[in-house]
Amino acid sequence: MKTIGAAKFKEQCLALLDSLDEDGLVITRRGKPVARLLPFDYQHSELIGSLRHKVKIEGNVLSTDIDSNADAES
């Protein structure tokens, strides 16, 4: 991951945003990391249906497996 000083980031902010890669950018102040800039991920729609045909559901997933008709022992 690339690093850049805060002052240099401030000077080149817009250009850095345009060239931001998937690894992102670490912003430092006096050599210590203070922030990480990552690109916004628009790929959330790929998650919908991604487990189709990979997960098998068995039984009643809405059941608690508690027998509500069970008689209490006296």
Side-chain angles (χ1 to χ4, degrees):
M1 189 173 294
K2 297 176 188 175
T3 61
I4 188 169
K8 190 171 182 179
F9 174 77
K10 184 178 175 182
E11 294 171 7
Q12 301 176 358
C13 180
L14 294 178
L16 290 169
L17 290 176
D18 290 337
S19 65
L20 190 62
D21 63 7
E22 60 198 29
D23 292 334
L25 182 66
V26 174
I27 302 167
T28 62
R29 181 174 284 164
R30 296 183 200 100
K32 294 182 182 180
V34 293
R36 181 172 53 176
L37 179 66
L38 296 172
F40 188 78
D41 186 17
Y42 290 99
Q43 307 306 321
H44 298 293
S45 62
E46 292 178 3
L47 295 176
I48 298 172
S50 65
L51 295 177
R52 188 176 193 174
H53 305 297
K54 296 179 183 177
V55 175
K56 183 177 180 182
I57 299 172
E58 294 183 2
N60 185 357
V61 296
L62 301 177
S63 172
T64 60
D65 284 338
I66 296 174
D67 187 7
S68 61
N69 295 327
D71 292 45
E73 293 184 27
S74 307

